[in-house]
Amino acid sequence: MKKISWMLGLVLMLAACQSATEPTTETTTSKAVSSINWGTVDGKEVKLYTLTNKNGVEVKITNYGGIVTSWITADKKGNKSNVVLGFDSLSGYLAKPPYFGAIIGRYGNRIGNATFKIDTATYQLAANDGKQHLHGGNKGYDKVVWDAQPSDSTASLTLTYLSKDGEEGYPGNLSITVVYTLTDADELLMEYSAETDKTTPVNLTNHSYFNLTGDVANTILSHQLQVHADKYTPVDAGLIPTGELKAVKDGPFDFLQPHQIGERIAQVPGGYDHNFVLNRTSADLELVATLSDSISGRKLEVYTTEPGLQFYSGNFLDGSIKTSSGQPIQQHAALCLETQHFPDSPNKPEFPSTLLKPGEKYHTVTKYKITLQ
Ligand code: BGC
């Protein structure tokens, strides 16, 4: 009996040691960035990084797909919750949700008939959305492991990836850097840079889905949206722009003044999934859209250097994907405001060009800022 209790004591002691050593998986890489091991993909280590600012806002990012997995902020009552769709573990992402929080590339949104020409050469891309090419193909930048370097001094994470010549059909080795920085003004800054050794289209974006209430049981139909765009790009049945830049004036795409998203969505077959032609006054970072929610009191401002904004109202979400706590993610449970060049630009010479040539530097900046109204 004595021996049994002695052994039990030893087992309990070992168990205590075990749990005491567990937190060492959390490596504090800097004051503002910590990381944990999250698994392995393609033989490469995947980590989950946590960026924290002085207000206690916390943004988690994994180097798998450069995905923003959560963004935790306080609502008007001081209750903290996650305002983006994401999962607690890597397995959720390996099940291929529709680009939750990911970096999208080489080309964000669609390229018609999955093909384009540069001079006399025709390039054939993966047709992964009916006949069209969507978000970089079968294995876009949302499904690759990026190299990650957390900053020593700020809440910042630098991700790099070399997209090889011919990957998903694109020409040229494209060397990409994306820097995510969480500022003390509660902004998530995203800075995209790239260089190529052959002329190629490039259109990088982030595909975060927001629900400012922090609860997917609420839809985003009661959120208010304002977009500084006099025009948008109408699409055909395959969601490819027709080429027309159409005035939004007085129709369901007119968000020049704030409107509830649900107010006119029934007038848009399938829901909003359109590129807005932003009213720019300079090439600098400018405020292009504001989303607000009266339930939580939160407000999201979108700033960008890009000419376009894809407003996607979560139309294809259908409850089949569940959050890590088991809640079904229903249609309109979240929305995306993707800063970008216009869809199908490689086939639309009248749109701003997305071609990057050897010797040129691709550089765009987008900033999401979440504060209280
Ligand atoms: C596209 C949608 C697509 C969604 C998820 C958005 O950027 O515009 O058509 O369904 O991404 O893939």
Side-chain angles (χ1 to χ4, degrees), residues 24-43:
T24 56
T25 52
E26 172 114 11
T27 5
T28 300
T29 38
S30 77
K31 259 191 286 171
V33 186
S34 65
S35 68
I36 57 167
N37 293 329
W38 231 34
T40 309
V41 174
D42 297 337

Side-chain angles (χ1 to χ4, degrees), residues 84-140:
V84 294
L85 293 186
F87 299 107
D88 290 352
S89 68
L90 183 58
S91 58
Y93 295 100
L94 299 180
K96 302 189 181 163
Y99 309 94
F100 288 4
I103 296 173
I104 305 295
R106 190 172 295 198
Y107 198 93
N109 214 281
R110 291 177 177 79
I111 296 180
N113 293 316
T115 186
F116 64 91
K117 271 185 170 180
I118 299 177
D119 300 326
T120 53
T122 300
Y123 294 92
Q124 189 59 51
L125 307 168
N128 61 327
D129 183 64
K131 290 188 308 182
Q132 334 294 0
H133 176 83
L134 175 66
H135 294 332
N138 292 319
K139 190 171 178 178

Side-chain angles (χ1 to χ4, degrees), residues 97-100 104 108-110 129 134-135 205 207 209 239 272-275 310-312 314-317 336 338 340 343:
Y99 309 94
F100 288 4
I104 305 295
N109 214 281
R110 291 177 177 79
D129 183 64
L134 175 66
H135 294 332
T205 191
H207 208 293
Y209 287 72
L239 296 176
Y272 293 102
D273 193 356
H274 295 80
N275 170 68
Q310 184 78 13
F311 166 34
Y312 170 56
N315 314 323
F316 298 116
L317 300 171
C336 303
E338 301 152 66
Q340 56 176 26

Side-chain angles (χ1 to χ4, degrees), residues 178-205:
V178 177
V179 184
Y180 282 110
T181 305
L182 175 65
T183 72
D184 285 336
D186 300 343
E187 306 156 321
L188 185 64
L189 203 67
M190 292 170 280
E191 195 171 353
Y192 306 83
S193 312
E195 286 183 69
T196 184
D197 58 6
K198 279 185 194 162
T199 302
T200 179
V202 185
N203 187 26
L204 306 176
T205 191

